[in-house]
Amino acid sequence: MSDLKSKSYTLHPKSFDTILIHICCSVDSHFFLQELREVYPKAKLIGFFYDPNIHPYSEYKLRLMDVERSCKSLDIELIEGEYDFESWLNGVKGYENEPEKGKRCELCFDIRVERSFKKAKELGVGYVTTTLLTSPKKSIEQLRVVGDKLADNYSLEFLSPDFRKNGGTQKQFLMAKEEKLYHQNYCGCLYALKKQRDMQNKEASELFMPINRQIEPGCIEERIENYKKRVELEESGRKYEFVKSNFLNYRVLRAYLKVDGKTLPSYPLSYSVIKRKKVKLRVEKDINGIFYANRESLKFIELSYLNEKLSYSFESLKELYFTPLEYKKELFLRREIEKSDFSTSPIVVVDKVNFEKFEIYIDATIFEDVRENLVIF
Ligand code: SF4
């Protein structure tokens, strides 16, 4: 039996009371809720997902989706809190550079646990706890201080069981694997994410999102699609696995094309790289609808060429900016032009190649990445 000692713990295991559980993610909650149910088999459990710290919003949606799946399987009611990201930002202002477990985290717990106490008051629930208590990356002592203080302020009880003890953490991770829960690889906020990626010397690719909302490899939207699909598979009784694969990813950060000092609409195909980023070149020849520049292996194609090869009917580059091009089609076009699966030549789509001299800037990054593929049996 887990240690239930906490300053404010008073609930009897045979109580029929209701407990409001603040939920941070499925990996923590799936285990925590089952342990809590074992300790309080007669109590009613209500989950409360209130995590405006999670950034970007798509990551928030993904974590929520997985918590919904978990609560459904455990037959536990779930309430979604408000995603008031701006007020969370204001709440931790001045502590952006703190390390994990530092002052920013204390404020972050304050914000989330306090809102849970408010929710409990609103619902007439007397007991509050949080699944953060089971997260090995969080300080249980820090959480107890926050919870006990709020319990006094709101005249409610804070339950702070330590389910990590006696192999709890190992059991939790085994369960997460068996249940194929979404295992996020950063705590949640943009500050921790940026710091973690800087330390790993990796791109915080979660923070990139093309304006046309194209689903790029390894992006959060791709994961959401996979996790939605797995719910359908489970409902229809099909077997599946998530398997990881390492690959070279690409993101364009900024790009422009200038002719006579004026910016023209342009769209660099994925994996377009210019070593020096900015170069002045000229169009040298046109062979079968591909316009070759004098250096950098750079090529232009017109929108009509893209439409014909990929069966699209874009009327202008501006339309392409706001309509996602299917990624695999974009790669197919590159392969068609370059006759290679590993080409990084800049290939740029424009409305018309009616210019000779031009200046081009492409700030792009190629980096090692890992993605999860959904394999259906
Ligand atoms: S690192 Fe985690 S706990 Fe700390 S502030 Fe960021 S989201 Fe909150």
Side-chain angles (χ1 to χ4, degrees), residues 53 88 100 104-105 108-109 112 138 187-189 192:
N53 53 314
W88 182 87
E100 271 189 55
R104 189 187 64 244
C105 297
C108 181
F109 300 154
R112 291 187 281 165
K138 307 284 175 291
C187 184
C189 69

PDB file of all heavy atoms in Angstrom, residues 53 88 100 104-105 108-109 112 138 187-189 192, ligand 1:
ATOM      1  N   ASN A  53      -0.247  25.556 -19.602  1.00  0.00           N
ATOM      2  CA  ASN A  53       1.216  25.636 -19.747  1.00  0.00           C
ATOM      3  C   ASN A  53       1.698  24.930 -21.015  1.00  0.00           C
ATOM      4  O   ASN A  53       2.784  25.223 -21.527  1.00  0.00           O
ATOM      5  CB  ASN A  53       1.895  24.975 -18.533  1.00  0.00           C
ATOM      6  CG  ASN A  53       1.383  23.561 -18.302  1.00  0.00           C
ATOM      7  OD1 ASN A  53       0.181  23.318 -18.323  1.00  0.00           O
ATOM      8  ND2 ASN A  53       2.276  22.623 -18.099  1.00  0.00           N
ATOM      9  N   TRP A  88      -1.468  32.160 -18.223  1.00  0.00           N
ATOM     10  CA  TRP A  88      -0.363  31.331 -17.702  1.00  0.00           C
ATOM     11  C   TRP A  88       0.985  32.044 -17.942  1.00  0.00           C
ATOM     12  O   TRP A  88       1.829  32.110 -17.047  1.00  0.00           O
ATOM     13  CB  TRP A  88      -0.360  29.946 -18.378  1.00  0.00           C
ATOM     14  CG  TRP A  88       0.732  29.067 -17.832  1.00  0.00           C
ATOM     15  CD1 TRP A  88       0.662  28.263 -16.735  1.00  0.00           C
ATOM     16  CD2 TRP A  88       2.083  28.953 -18.326  1.00  0.00           C
ATOM     17  NE1 TRP A  88       1.885  27.651 -16.517  1.00  0.00           N
ATOM     18  CE2 TRP A  88       2.768  28.048 -17.483  1.00  0.00           C
ATOM     19  CE3 TRP A  88       2.775  29.512 -19.402  1.00  0.00           C
ATOM     20  CZ2 TRP A  88       4.107  27.701 -17.671  1.00  0.00           C
ATOM     21  CZ3 TRP A  88       4.109  29.158 -19.603  1.00  0.00           C
ATOM     22  CH2 TRP A  88       4.762  28.263 -18.744  1.00  0.00           C
ATOM     23  N   GLU A 100      14.119  23.518 -14.749  1.00  0.00           N
ATOM     24  CA  GLU A 100      12.996  22.705 -14.274  1.00  0.00           C
ATOM     25  C   GLU A 100      13.164  22.434 -12.780  1.00  0.00           C
ATOM     26  O   GLU A 100      14.288  22.271 -12.309  1.00  0.00           O
ATOM     27  CB  GLU A 100      12.903  21.396 -15.056  1.00  0.00           C
ATOM     28  CG  GLU A 100      12.034  21.559 -16.295  1.00  0.00           C
ATOM     29  CD  GLU A 100      11.721  20.259 -17.001  1.00  0.00           C
ATOM     30  OE1 GLU A 100      11.201  19.340 -16.353  1.00  0.00           O
ATOM     31  OE2 GLU A 100      12.002  20.188 -18.212  1.00  0.00           O
ATOM     32  N   ARG A 104       9.799  28.859 -11.627  1.00  0.00           N
ATOM     33  CA  ARG A 104       8.741  28.880 -12.655  1.00  0.00           C
ATOM     34  C   ARG A 104       7.807  27.666 -12.468  1.00  0.00           C
ATOM     35  O   ARG A 104       6.590  27.784 -12.572  1.00  0.00           O
ATOM     36  CB  ARG A 104       9.343  28.866 -14.061  1.00  0.00           C
ATOM     37  CG  ARG A 104       8.305  29.107 -15.145  1.00  0.00           C
ATOM     38  CD  ARG A 104       8.849  28.928 -16.549  1.00  0.00           C
ATOM     39  NE  ARG A 104       9.276  27.575 -16.815  1.00  0.00           N
ATOM     40  CZ  ARG A 104      10.533  27.214 -17.083  1.00  0.00           C
ATOM     41  NH1 ARG A 104      11.466  28.137 -17.155  1.00  0.00           N
ATOM     42  NH2 ARG A 104      10.856  25.950 -17.298  1.00  0.00           N
ATOM     43  N   CYS A 105       8.399  26.521 -12.171  1.00  0.00           N
ATOM     44  CA  CYS A 105       7.594  25.305 -11.990  1.00  0.00           C
ATOM     45  C   CYS A 105       6.685  25.446 -10.768  1.00  0.00           C
ATOM     46  O   CYS A 105       5.539  25.010 -10.780  1.00  0.00           O
ATOM     47  CB  CYS A 105       8.499  24.090 -11.859  1.00  0.00           C
ATOM     48  SG  CYS A 105       9.458  23.814 -13.351  1.00  0.00           S
ATOM     49  N   CYS A 108       3.905  27.479 -11.819  1.00  0.00           N
ATOM     50  CA  CYS A 108       3.094  26.680 -12.751  1.00  0.00           C
ATOM     51  C   CYS A 108       2.193  25.709 -11.981  1.00  0.00           C
ATOM     52  O   CYS A 108       1.014  25.549 -12.298  1.00  0.00           O
ATOM     53  CB  CYS A 108       4.040  25.945 -13.697  1.00  0.00           C
ATOM     54  SG  CYS A 108       3.250  24.918 -14.932  1.00  0.00           S
ATOM     55  N   PHE A 109       2.742  25.068 -10.940  1.00  0.00           N
ATOM     56  CA  PHE A 109       1.920  24.179 -10.102  1.00  0.00           C
ATOM     57  C   PHE A 109       0.830  25.001  -9.414  1.00  0.00           C
ATOM     58  O   PHE A 109      -0.322  24.598  -9.376  1.00  0.00           O
ATOM     59  CB  PHE A 109       2.749  23.495  -8.997  1.00  0.00           C
ATOM     60  CG  PHE A 109       3.879  22.644  -9.479  1.00  0.00           C
ATOM     61  CD1 PHE A 109       4.994  22.418  -8.680  1.00  0.00           C
ATOM     62  CD2 PHE A 109       3.829  22.042 -10.723  1.00  0.00           C
ATOM     63  CE1 PHE A 109       6.041  21.623  -9.111  1.00  0.00           C
ATOM     64  CE2 PHE A 109       4.870  21.239 -11.167  1.00  0.00           C
ATOM     65  CZ  PHE A 109       5.984  21.042 -10.358  1.00  0.00           C
ATOM     66  N   ARG A 112      -2.020  25.785 -11.784  1.00  0.00           N
ATOM     67  CA  ARG A 112      -2.859  24.644 -12.172  1.00  0.00           C
ATOM     68  C   ARG A 112      -3.593  24.034 -10.982  1.00  0.00           C
ATOM     69  O   ARG A 112      -4.760  23.674 -11.073  1.00  0.00           O
ATOM     70  CB  ARG A 112      -1.996  23.598 -12.889  1.00  0.00           C
ATOM     71  CG  ARG A 112      -1.548  24.121 -14.248  1.00  0.00           C
ATOM     72  CD  ARG A 112      -0.848  23.073 -15.038  1.00  0.00           C
ATOM     73  NE  ARG A 112       0.539  22.876 -14.645  1.00  0.00           N
ATOM     74  CZ  ARG A 112       1.271  21.816 -14.989  1.00  0.00           C
ATOM     75  NH1 ARG A 112       0.719  20.841 -15.682  1.00  0.00           N
ATOM     76  NH2 ARG A 112       2.535  21.730 -14.634  1.00  0.00           N
ATOM     77  N   LYS A 138       8.990  15.712 -11.199  1.00  0.00           N
ATOM     78  CA  LYS A 138       8.477  16.784 -10.340  1.00  0.00           C
ATOM     79  C   LYS A 138       8.876  16.519  -8.902  1.00  0.00           C
ATOM     80  O   LYS A 138       8.999  15.367  -8.491  1.00  0.00           O
ATOM     81  CB  LYS A 138       6.945  16.873 -10.421  1.00  0.00           C
ATOM     82  CG  LYS A 138       6.402  16.983 -11.821  1.00  0.00           C
ATOM     83  CD  LYS A 138       6.585  18.368 -12.381  1.00  0.00           C
ATOM     84  CE  LYS A 138       6.174  18.481 -13.821  1.00  0.00           C
ATOM     85  NZ  LYS A 138       7.034  17.776 -14.764  1.00  0.00           N
ATOM     86  N   CYS A 187       8.397  18.584 -20.900  1.00  0.00           N
ATOM     87  CA  CYS A 187       7.434  18.778 -19.823  1.00  0.00           C
ATOM     88  C   CYS A 187       6.149  19.436 -20.307  1.00  0.00           C
ATOM     89  O   CYS A 187       5.061  18.970 -19.987  1.00  0.00           O
ATOM     90  CB  CYS A 187       8.070  19.597 -18.699  1.00  0.00           C
ATOM     91  SG  CYS A 187       6.963  19.781 -17.296  1.00  0.00           S
ATOM     92  N   GLY A 188       6.282  20.517 -21.077  1.00  0.00           N
ATOM     93  CA  GLY A 188       5.047  21.137 -21.563  1.00  0.00           C
ATOM     94  C   GLY A 188       5.211  22.561 -22.056  1.00  0.00           C
ATOM     95  O   GLY A 188       4.704  22.921 -23.106  1.00  0.00           O
ATOM     96  N   CYS A 189       5.943  23.386 -21.291  1.00  0.00           N
ATOM     97  CA  CYS A 189       5.976  24.807 -21.675  1.00  0.00           C
ATOM     98  C   CYS A 189       7.064  25.088 -22.713  1.00  0.00           C
ATOM     99  O   CYS A 189       8.009  24.307 -22.873  1.00  0.00           O
ATOM    100  CB  CYS A 189       6.159  25.695 -20.449  1.00  0.00           C
ATOM    101  SG  CYS A 189       7.771  25.566 -19.677  1.00  0.00           S
ATOM    102  N   ALA A 192      10.791  25.354 -21.217  1.00  0.00           N
ATOM    103  CA  ALA A 192      11.483  24.087 -20.944  1.00  0.00           C
ATOM    104  C   ALA A 192      11.853  23.401 -22.256  1.00  0.00           C
ATOM    105  O   ALA A 192      12.934  22.826 -22.387  1.00  0.00           O
ATOM    106  CB  ALA A 192      10.583  23.179 -20.109  1.00  0.00           C
TER     107      ALA A 192
HETATM  108  S1  SF4 B   1       8.862  22.948 -16.956  1.00  0.00           S
HETATM  109 FE1  SF4 B   1       6.877  21.969 -16.743  1.00  0.00          FE
HETATM  110  S2  SF4 B   1       6.237  22.352 -14.631  1.00  0.00           S
HETATM  111 FE2  SF4 B   1       7.919  23.755 -15.121  1.00  0.00          FE
HETATM  112  S3  SF4 B   1       6.903  25.621 -15.821  1.00  0.00           S
HETATM  113 FE3  SF4 B   1       7.315  24.409 -17.650  1.00  0.00          FE
HETATM  114  S4  SF4 B   1       5.450  23.187 -17.954  1.00  0.00           S
HETATM  115 FE4  SF4 B   1       5.372  23.996 -15.870  1.00  0.00          FE
END
